[in-house]
Amino acid sequence: MANDQPARFDAIIVGAGISGMYMLHRLREQGLKVQVLEAGDDVGGTWYWNRYPGARFDSESWSYGYAFSREILDEWNWSEHFSGQPENLRYCRFAAEKLDLKRDIRFETNVVSAHFDEAANEWAIAAEDGYKVRARLFITAIGPLSVPQMPVIEGVDDFEGESWHTARWPHRPVSFEGKRVAVIGTGATGVQLIQEVAKTAGHLTVLQRRPNWCAPLHNSPITPEEQADIHSRYDEIYAHCRTTHGGFIHDADPRRLLETPENERNAFFEQKYAEPGFGIWMGNFRDTFTSEEANRILSDFVARKIRERVKDPETAEKLIPKDHGFGQRRVPMETRYYEVYNQDNVDLIDIVADPIRRIDRTGIELESGHRDFDMIIFATGFDAVLGGFNRIDIRGLGGQRLSDKWAEGPTTYLGLQVAGFPNMFTLVGPQNAAGFGNIPRGIEQNVEWVAGLVRHMLANGLTYVGATPEAEADWLDEVARSSDKMLLSKADSWFTGINRNVEGRSRRVYLLYTAGMPAFREKCDAVARDGYIGMVLA
Ligand code: NAP
């Protein structure tokens, strides 16, 4: 065989984050020859790339890790209830070592194309460095938020000072000490970052387009007693997460806000606001997700909190969202974020009122005048969910491009397969439950379901699996039906596929399955039980 013949595997997985790592483990366990192709030089995915100061879990650490491995659970101790990026990355490395994954991961491999070869019934995959490989199964584990997006601002490349995008943060410490720093973007990333930069920057200028509703994280170290308790309750914790809508420890309160007396609901809001984690969002009255009136009452409560915490009334008003209610977009969790705006070294610019005209060599020109900066940080998010797919030239039956098929919005079956793209699985792809929740919980469900399907194929001598267009159309209906009930489908955010920096992303699409992880698991289990209904197996 000539040396330039592509290597052959049973499965190629793209991405060595939480989902790619687990998929590798599960398929290898079944005796498959598997390789993971990873663009970075280490495992960890989102925790590898997003190393900006302040990056940390918003899920309780002890509800985030892999639940499938008793050994990993027993041997790993989280140091904080919401642990930071360095520890999270160490955890990923620890899991990779425990499962001996690295021997089957090819790092610094940026996949550029994947074409389905119908005659051979296999995928031909190529990387930027010329590496070519063929495999029966092609599995994307590329994460929903993996393609950093720079803002479309004139002169964005002209700045000669230090400049970083949060999702491509350098692997060395960056000092803000005494510097004039600008941060553009106030999503979950910007909020975490701003809290840190404000501690040491000479002057921090936050350039905010639209504020988000933020809520206190209430992080704390895990005491030895808590550690022992967490370890003794892991089964119970993960069993509970399997019952909650988003796979978090928090779940919507069964009461309706609109039927709860005012004093009772205010006491409940206060309690949730004072509790650690997503309780104020995910654990609130169930109608806050669906009723504009209920949501407005909750939003008014959080607005009052912001006004209490920010001393300057004008600044407080700038920080209160007016175009959407609490939880309609992803709620950034914060630690003294609002108090940052009481500091003398911080100012907030509303760039809707005072637009950015351009970025130049020395700083940013606003309508109100020019400001010099030593550093500009872009916390401007991602080309969410679809960006990772579009970056790879994926072609299915008849040479159809996935990007063409999805030009008007994605269509999938269970968010795991795409009609016309056989033997391809999309872990945390569009219209999957994992994207809206405690992601590792959704990932475990997806990986285990795909592994079950592969086991079924191996046991029955099957080599081909493809979703039918009818099943895909039905799934889109189901995704749309459940999403349309939720207020979050009525706001512009990455949840609804809006990104003004990317051409073609100004129309809302169905990116997430929002009926919850238990409903999703039931659906997937039923599909499997009925002999993988909606899929052609041969
Ligand atoms: P994001 O939520 O999309 O926020 C991007 C920010 O940049 C927004 O404030 C946006 O303003 C602003 N922006 C974008 N383009 C701009 C432009 N041209 N001019 C001015 N401002 C611009 O991105 P993210 O904060 O990186 O968060 C993305 C997701 O990552 C989160 O929703 C969350 O799911 C995940 N995340 C998770 C964690 C965690 O779990 N701990 C931490 C961080 C992020 P507009 O709102 O006006 O568009």
Side-chain angles (χ1 to χ4, degrees):
M1 194 196 273
N3 281 341
D4 60 355
Q5 283 294 306
R8 280 204 143 69
F9 289 88
D10 296 320
I12 285 290
I13 299 167
V14 184
I18 304 274
S19 56
M21 286 165 61
Y22 186 32
M23 193 78 250
L24 168 62
H25 174 65
R26 275 283 178 245
L27 291 183
R28 229 169 46 176
E29 220 177 35
Q30 296 188 36
L32 266 68
K33 192 177 164 209
V34 189
Q35 189 175 50
V36 176
L37 306 180
E38 163 59 48
D41 64 11
D42 204 347
V43 297
T46 204
W47 300 112
Y48 171 88
W49 296 105
N50 291 278
R51 47 182 83 218
Y52 59 86
R56 65 174 60 253
F57 286 144
D58 282 344
S59 307
E60 284 71 9
S61 316
W62 33 272
S63 75
Y64 186 95
Y66 288 125
F68 74 89
S69 163
R70 174 54 60 185
E71 195 183 345
I72 293 176
L73 287 175
D74 286 347
E75 291 185 23
W76 183 262
N77 290 321
W78 296 104
S79 69
E80 294 174 274
H81 286 280
F82 302 89
S83 87
Q85 177 273 336
E87 183 170 331
N88 306 346
L89 181 57
R90 277 201 302 281
Y91 171 80
C92 295
R93 289 178 179 146
F94 171 77
E97 199 171 307
K98 276 278 140 202
L99 303 170
D100 189 19
L101 299 179
K102 283 197 178 175
R103 65 187 158 92
D104 289 315
I105 305 175
R106 190 178 193 271
F107 291 104
E108 297 181 81
T109 304
N110 196 15
V111 172
V112 290
S113 69
H115 297 174
F116 186 62
D117 176 342
E118 289 175 50
N121 187 30
E122 62 186 17
W123 284 86
I125 296 142
E128 204 173 31
D129 65 355
Y131 181 65
K132 286 188 171 55
V133 64
R134 294 177 79 91
R136 174 76 20 100
L137 302 174
F138 169 55
I139 302 175
T140 63
I142 53 182
L145 300 158
S146 54
V147 178
Q149 184 61 50
M150 287 292 283
V152 177
I153 299 174
E154 195 188 320
V156 73
D157 297 323
D158 295 349
F159 184 62
E160 289 178 357
E162 282 178 83
S163 139
W164 312 109
H165 189 287
T166 46
R168 286 293 177 271
W169 201 259
H171 289 216
R172 59 168 175 81
V174 172
S175 167
F176 310 116
E177 196 78 43
K179 292 179 184 163
R180 296 163 302 175
V181 181
V183 174
I184 302 180
T186 52
T189 300
V191 166
Q192 288 185 333
L193 173 88
I194 287 163
Q195 296 160 186
E196 292 305 311
V197 179
K199 288 177 184 165
T200 54
H203 194 88
L204 166 63
T205 304
V206 176
L207 297 128
Q208 173 188 265
R209 191 163 63 185
R210 284 182 304 160
N212 284 297
W213 295 99
C214 311
L217 181 64
H218 298 300
N219 185 27
S220 59
I222 294 178
T223 64
E225 296 72 35
E226 285 172 332
Q227 195 70 261
D229 177 59
I230 288 164
H231 278 273
S232 73
R233 289 192 307 107
Y234 265 135
D235 288 344
E236 183 193 319
I237 291 166
Y238 287 114
H240 172 64
C241 289
R242 282 171 71 83
T243 67
T244 64
H245 189 98
F248 295 104
I249 61 159
H250 312 278
D251 205 14
D253 192 281
R255 290 172 299 168
R256 289 170 57 82
L257 181 152
L258 296 176
E259 290 163 3
T260 309
E262 194 178 335
N263 59 344
E264 211 176 295
R265 70 188 184 216
N266 280 338
F268 181 70
F269 288 162
E270 290 289 355
Q271 178 203 325
K272 290 284 152 198
Y273 199 78
E275 270 175 18
F278 273 137
I280 183 77
W281 184 22
M282 292 290 162
N284 222 304
F285 295 106
R286 68 188 160 98
D287 50 348
T288 57
F289 296 93
T290 51
S291 151
E292 304 234 2
E293 196 187 343
N295 187 273
R296 188 186 46 74
I297 293 169
L298 170 59
S299 302
D300 286 348
F301 167 83
V302 182
R304 281 199 298 279
K305 288 288 177 196
I306 298 171
R307 290 188 186 106
E308 277 166 29
R309 292 175 59 185
V310 179
K311 283 190 195 141
D312 173 38
E314 218 175 284
T315 306
E317 287 318 304
K318 281 189 203 166
L319 289 163
I320 297 172
K322 307 290 188 307
D323 65 341
H324 68 282
F326 183 85
Q328 271 185 281
R329 310 206 299 169
R330 176 19 166 111
V331 175
M333 301 306 288
E334 46 88 20
T335 304
R336 299 188 59 75
Y337 173 67
Y338 289 111
E339 286 72 14
V340 156
Y341 296 98
N342 298 332
Q343 291 180 207
D344 292 338
N345 67 333
V346 179
D347 65 341
L348 175 66
I349 296 178
D350 168 357
I351 59 166
V352 175
D354 186 6
I356 298 176
R357 282 203 179 137
R358 67 183 63 80
I359 293 177
D360 59 23
R361 275 188 327 104
T362 56
I364 300 177
E365 195 179 318
L366 295 156
E367 202 160 280
S368 60
H370 189 275
R371 296 200 180 207
D372 287 342
F373 292 107
D374 302 307
M375 187 189 297
I376 301 178
I377 303 175
F378 299 98
T380 46
F382 302 87
D383 184 359
V385 187
L386 303 176
F389 290 95
N390 285 343
R391 227 172 25 157
I392 306 172
D393 174 18
I394 300 175
R395 297 190 204 178
L397 294 176
Q400 187 186 23
R401 287 174 202 267
L402 186 64
S403 54
D404 287 343
K405 175 167 168 133
W406 284 358
E408 297 300 313
T411 50
T412 72
Y413 185 40
L414 307 172
L416 289 168
Q417 273 228 304
V418 183
F421 295 78
N423 293 358
M424 174 174 106
F425 293 101
T426 57
L427 302 173
V428 203
Q431 300 164 355
N432 185 277
F436 182 60
N438 191 7
I439 288 190
R441 303 283 62 79
I443 283 172
E444 282 191 348
Q445 141 79 16
N446 287 337
V447 166
E448 285 160 18
W449 192 85
V450 170
L453 171 49
V454 171
R455 193 177 312 112
H456 171 82
M457 291 173 73
L458 288 176
N460 293 283
L462 302 166
T463 57
Y464 179 100
V465 57
T468 67
E470 295 75 25
E472 195 175 66
D474 288 348
W475 183 243
L476 182 61
D477 280 351
E478 203 163 324
V479 167
R481 242 192 338 268
S482 55
S483 181
D484 289 346
K485 289 184 204 147
M486 306 277 285
L487 292 173
L488 60 87
S489 70
K490 297 174 179 61
D492 289 350
S493 79
W494 77 261
F495 284 174
T496 48
I498 299 292
N499 192 328
R500 296 200 174 78
N501 299 310
V502 185
E503 225 185 292
R505 298 263 198 283
S506 50
R507 202 171 54 83
R508 289 183 200 156
V509 293
Y510 294 107
L511 270 199
L512 305 175
Y513 176 69
T514 54
M517 289 191 191
F520 184 68
R521 187 178 318 110
E522 258 174 53
K523 171 76 186 176
C524 289
D525 288 350
V527 166
R529 221 176 20 247
D530 292 342
Y532 294 100
I533 197 160
M535 295 167 138
V536 174
L537 283 147

